[in-house]
Amino acid sequence: MIPMRLVETDREGFDQPVVELWRDDEFVGMVFWDGETTVVQIYADDDGDVKDLDVGELTRLLDIAESI
């Protein structure tokens, strides 16, 4: 598996930071806050195929994202 990384960004239309999930130069998804709820969006790759993600690594990154 290719390791994932987080990138904290400010996006137009969002009141709080958005945390992007990346694997090398491939955008995987993002984490953002919608009122009281943390929302995770995972996107298909450019071909519309699913992405295989390591659950342990994803959980670790989501914990970090939620704390930002």
Side-chain angles (χ1 to χ4, degrees):
M1 286 273 154
I2 300 170
M4 289 191 303
R5 61 185 169 86
L6 299 176
V7 177
E8 183 180 347
T9 63
D10 291 318
R11 288 191 177 204
E12 189 174 326
F14 289 87
D15 295 332
Q16 296 183 3
V18 172
V19 177
E20 297 176 348
L21 303 170
W22 289 85
R23 195 166 49 185
D24 280 341
D25 62 348
E26 179 184 29
F27 181 72
V28 173
M30 63 185 191
V31 180
F32 61 92
W33 293 263
D34 184 17
E36 300 278 329
T37 303
T38 305
V39 178
V40 179
Q41 292 182 338
I42 304 295
Y43 295 91
D45 65 15
D46 292 338
D47 296 326
D49 294 329
V50 297
K51 292 182 172 78
D52 293 328
L53 304 175
D54 179 282
V55 171
E57 182 177 21
L58 180 60
T59 301
R60 181 183 65 79
L61 292 175
L62 292 176
D63 286 342
I64 294 169
E66 191 169 40
S67 71
I68 292 178

